[in-house]
Structure formats: C-alpha cells, structure tokens
C-alpha cells in the first residue's frame, strides 16, 4: 500500500478535486455573468420600449383592422341618425341615451367576466371625473357654437384638430413627430376645407366658442389615449364604465337646464314616440355603445393624432355617402377637396408606417450595441 506523503494535507483534497472545484467556480461565475447580461439586456429593451410611443409597438395589421371597424361604425351611426332619427331634435337627450347605453353595455360585459374594475386612488378617480366633465362640456360648446356659425365654417374649424393635438403633445408631454408627419397633415386639413367649402358665416363669440370646442376635442382625444397608455393604463371598457354614468347624468341635467326635456315631453304627448321609433332609438343606443368601445380601443392602438386625422377623413367620406344615398349636390371645389383629403390620408399612413419602421430599426440597433457592450471579455 502506498504511503501518504508527509506533506499531503487531506483537507485540500486531491489535485483532481481541486481542479473540479475551480472549474465549478468558473462555471458559476460565467453563469452569473450571463444572468447579469440577460438582466441588463431586458432592462435596455424595456427602456427602449418605454421611449417609443405605444402606437408604434402595435402591429400595423391590428391598427388597420380597428381603424376599419371604427370607420364602419362611425359612418353607420351617422347614416342611421340621418335616415332614421332625422326628426329627433334633442341632442342632449340623445347624448344621455348614448352614455347610458355605454354604461349598461360595459356593466353587462363586466358581469360576464370580460374585465375587472381596478382599485384606484382618490386622485385617479378625480382624473376620470374631470374627463367626464371634459366629454360633456365639449359637446355643450360644440352645440352652442353651431347656432352662431355656419356649418361649413364649423367643419373647417374642426379640421384643424390635428394641429392642436400636436401642440398639446409638444407642450404638455414633450413629444414631437417627424417633419414628414407635419407635412402630411397639410393636405388632410386643406382638403377638408375645400370639401366643406360653402357659406362661411360666424360671429365673434361663435368663432371663440368654435375654437374652444376644437381645443377641448383635441384635449379629450389626447387625455383618452393617456389614460389608457400612461400610468393608469386602464382598459377601454373600464374607462367607459367609470365615465359614462357621470356623463349621462351631466347630459340629462343639461337637457333639463336648456328646456330640452320639456320639449321632449311635449313631443311624446303628440304621439311621436311610437313603438317602432322606440326600437329605432334602442338600435341607435346599441350602435353608439359599439362605436364608443371601438373609438376608445382604436385611440389606444392607433394614437390620438391618427384619430384626429380619421375624423377629418370621416367628414369627406360622409359627404361622399351623402352624394350616393341622399342626392347631395357638391361643387367642383368640394370634390377636389375630397380627393386632396384622401390623398393626404394615404400620405399620412405611409409616413406613419415609415416612422414605425425607423423606430424599430433604431431600437434593434440600440439593443445590439447594448449587447456588445455588456458581453464579457475573457482575458
């Protein structure tokens, strides 16, 4: 039997054992470095995603699908009101019907488990209450200003909503768009001006109220988007459920304050509210609910600026459908304006697609640089 060396200490193990131990420590260190690199890469990717606007992170096909649905429902409701509810001259009560329908529809979907209510702080609840007031006041100012300006003037003023949306993002959120995006908006706005060209008439107070309505509309669109994509990150259905009952109550109070409720009572007493007309009103409420859900979800996915561009495009499409279905007569300038608006919308879509691609390329390049910097170099 071999004798142990007097210089051998068993506490240190054999040479093979020491080698295995060293290899094990190196493996653990390597794994630790890899874990740190992976964690750093995840952090970089999260930071990159945070610097990109939410609408640029949505697949293009998804955005187009929701935009098509929004357009379809919007035009359907407009034509429905024109063809079926043309004699229902009670805008505040109609708004009450729409917001009540949204409240009931969202509540039913919540009971069926499609979403759950989030636990909000007092400040967050105040934000939603303020949003409901903004929603109602925007409608009020729009209705009042319509009595003081001509319809063509009102429409051309509303077409400037994309400008105010850009300004709100610039001054309140520090967000800018590419120069190509700004240029693409010019034909969209000018096209609507030509498409709605007509008898421009306005009073001083009418101009002021119309301009205020445009600014409030832009604020409403931006605020809707921020509530769904910012720190609150509430789903569209929850926002509607929380906001709609408040807006319904406010609209009903305004109907009483303006005498509209009394006029409606007299209208009903004359026998105008027949069972068929009641069914038409219920159908209108259902369409409005679907449109509200679609509008909020599309705003979340496509962005506030895109929604204002869609509103301009919708004005031209409404005129086109009016020509086809209701024998509306338009002039050469009106027709040219529609073509310019459609061309502008196509240019805007192309620019936004290019912007999304450039932002994705920039993010990938940043990730590659971060990976290269974080990769451990073995000496």
């Amino acid at each position: 039997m071999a004798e142990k060396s007097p210089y051998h200490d068993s506490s240190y193990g054999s040479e093979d054992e020491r080698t295995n131990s060293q290899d094990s420590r190196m493996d653990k260190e390597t794994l630790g470095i890899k874990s740190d690199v992976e964690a750093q890469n995840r952090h970089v990717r999260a930071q990159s995603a945070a610097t990109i606007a939410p609408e640029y992170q949505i697949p293009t096909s998804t955005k187009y699908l929701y935009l098509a649905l929004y357009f379809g429902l919007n035009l359907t409701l407009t034509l429905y009101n024109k063809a079926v509810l043309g004699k229902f001259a009670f805008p505040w009560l109609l708004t009450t019907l729409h917001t009540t329908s949204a409240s009931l529809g969202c509540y039913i979907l919540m009971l069926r488990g499609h979403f759950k209510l989030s636990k909000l702080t007092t400040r967050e609840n105040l934000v939603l209450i303020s949003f409901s007031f903004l929603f109602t006041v925007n409608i009020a100012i729009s209705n009042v200003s319509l009595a003081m300006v001509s319809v063509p003037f009102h429409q051309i003023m509303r077409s400037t909503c994309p400008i105010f949306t850009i300004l709100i993002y610039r001054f309140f959120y520090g967000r800018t768009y590419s120069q190509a995006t700004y240029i693409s908006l010019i034909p969209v706005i000018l096209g609507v001006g030509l498409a709605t060209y007509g008898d421009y008439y306005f009073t001083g107070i009418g101009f002021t109220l119309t301009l205020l309505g445009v600014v409030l509309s832009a604020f409403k669109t931006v605020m809707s988007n921020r509530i769904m994509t910012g720190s609150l990150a509430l789903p569209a259905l929850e926002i509607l459920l929380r906001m709609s009952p408040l807006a319904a109550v406010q609209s009903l109070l305004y109907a009483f304050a303006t005498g509209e409720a009394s006029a409606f009572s007299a209208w009903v007493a004359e026998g105008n509210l027949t069972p068929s007309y009641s069914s038409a009103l219920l159908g209108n409420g259902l369409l409005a609910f679907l449109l509200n859900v679609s509008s909020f979800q599309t705003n979340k996915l496509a962005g506030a600026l895109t929604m204002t561009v869609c509103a301009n495009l919708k004005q031209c499409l409404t005129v086109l459908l009016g020509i086809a279905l209701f024998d509306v007569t338009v002039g050469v300038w009106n027709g040219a304006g529609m073509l310019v608006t459609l061309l502008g919308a196509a240019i805007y879509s192309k620019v936004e697609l290019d912007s999304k691609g450039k932002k994705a390329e920039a993010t990938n390049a940043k990730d590659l640089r971060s990976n290269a910097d974080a990769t451990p170099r073995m000496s």
Side-chain angles (χ1 to χ4, degrees):
M1 186 175 76
E3 295 182 359
K4 292 183 180 179
S5 170
Y7 301 102
H8 176 77
D9 189 346
S10 61
S11 63
Y12 289 98
S14 65
E15 184 176 348
D16 290 340
E17 290 172 342
R18 288 196 300 274
T19 301
N20 292 336
S21 178
Q22 291 174 354
D23 291 343
S24 177
R25 285 197 299 271
M26 291 181 64
D27 289 342
K28 289 180 179 178
E29 290 174 357
T30 302
L31 289 173
I33 292 173
K34 288 182 178 179
S35 298
D36 290 341
V37 170
E38 290 174 358
Q40 184 176 351
N41 289 341
R42 285 195 299 269
H43 179 66
V44 170
R45 285 193 295 270
Q47 284 185 323
S48 299
T51 58
I52 299 177
E55 60 263 30
Y56 293 123
Q57 304 175 39
I58 304 298
T60 303
S61 58
T62 301
K63 289 202 288 189
Y64 280 148
L65 176 63
Y66 275 90
L67 283 169
L69 181 62
Y70 166 73
F71 263 120
L73 289 171
N74 204 326
L75 291 172
T76 300
L77 184 62
T78 300
L79 296 175
Y80 188 100
N81 289 343
K82 174 76 174 176
V84 181
L85 299 180
K87 298 179 180 178
F88 194 80
F90 309 103
W92 280 111
L93 291 177
L94 192 60
T95 302
T96 304
L97 172 66
H98 290 174
T99 49
T100 301
S101 300
S103 304
L104 292 174
C106 291
Y107 184 69
I108 292 172
L109 290 177
M110 185 186 69
L111 292 180
R112 294 179 64 86
H114 289 275
F115 69 98
K116 294 181 180 179
L117 287 179
S118 307
K119 186 175 181 180
L120 303 181
T121 63
T122 302
R123 181 179 177 277
E124 291 168 340
N125 278 311
L126 288 175
V127 168
L128 291 177
I129 292 173
S130 301
F131 179 71
S132 71
F133 275 108
L134 177 61
F135 178 86
T136 309
V137 170
N138 179 47
I139 297 174
I141 291 179
S142 180
N143 288 339
V144 172
S145 64
L146 264 173
M148 303 178 183
V149 301
S150 63
V151 173
F153 180 79
H154 188 269
Q155 289 177 319
I156 197 173
M157 287 291 290
R158 298 288 292 188
S159 71
T160 62
C161 199
I163 297 175
F164 292 100
T165 301
I166 288 173
L167 292 175
I168 290 168
Y169 269 125
R170 180 68 181 87
F171 290 108
F172 288 90
Y173 300 102
R175 177 180 174 182
T176 58
Y177 294 86
S178 66
Q179 185 178 6
T181 298
Y182 296 140
I183 294 174
S184 70
L185 293 175
I186 295 175
V188 173
I189 296 171
L190 291 181
V192 173
L194 290 173
T196 59
Y197 176 76
D199 181 22
Y200 294 136
Y201 164 79
F202 59 91
T203 63
I205 187 65
F207 173 83
T208 303
L209 288 176
T210 304
L211 180 62
L212 179 59
V214 174
V215 174
L216 289 178
S217 179
F219 262 112
K220 184 191 74 172
T221 306
V222 172
M223 191 173 175
S224 301
N225 183 269
R226 295 294 301 180
I227 290 174
M228 290 183 288
T229 61
S231 57
L232 274 176
L234 295 178
L237 290 173
E238 182 174 356
I239 295 175
L240 277 172
L241 180 59
R242 291 179 178 276
M243 183 273 295
S244 295
L246 296 171
V249 171
Q250 293 160 19
S251 299
L252 186 60
L253 290 175
Y254 205 93
F256 277 100
T258 58
E260 189 176 295
S262 300
F264 175 73
S265 298
W267 183 79
V268 172
E270 293 172 359
N272 292 305
L273 191 61
T274 61
S276 60
Y277 207 92
S278 298
S279 300
L281 284 172
L282 291 176
N284 182 274
L286 177 61
L287 273 175
F289 164 64
L290 296 175
L291 176 59
N292 276 319
V293 174
S294 172
S295 175
F296 274 83
Q297 190 64 23
T298 305
N299 189 341
K300 178 181 179 180
L301 299 178
L305 181 59
T306 298
M307 291 298 289
T308 60
V309 172
C310 286
N312 281 10
L313 185 58
K314 181 241 177 182
Q315 287 194 54
C316 291
L317 292 178
T318 302
V319 175
L320 282 173
L321 287 174
I323 295 172
L325 300 177
F326 302 107
D327 296 324
V328 175
T329 303
V330 297
V332 175
W333 285 111
N334 303 119
M338 291 179 226
L339 292 177
V340 171
T341 304
L342 293 172
L343 178 62
I347 296 173
Y348 174 83
S349 299
K350 178 66 168 58
V351 168
E352 284 297 283
L353 281 176
D354 291 343
S355 296
K356 178 181 178 180
K358 290 177 182 177
K359 290 178 185 295
E361 290 175 3
T363 302
N364 291 334
K366 185 176 180 181
D367 289 344
L368 288 174
R369 288 195 301 270
S370 300
N371 290 340
D373 295 339
T375 300
R377 295 174 174 83
M378 303 301 292
S379 57

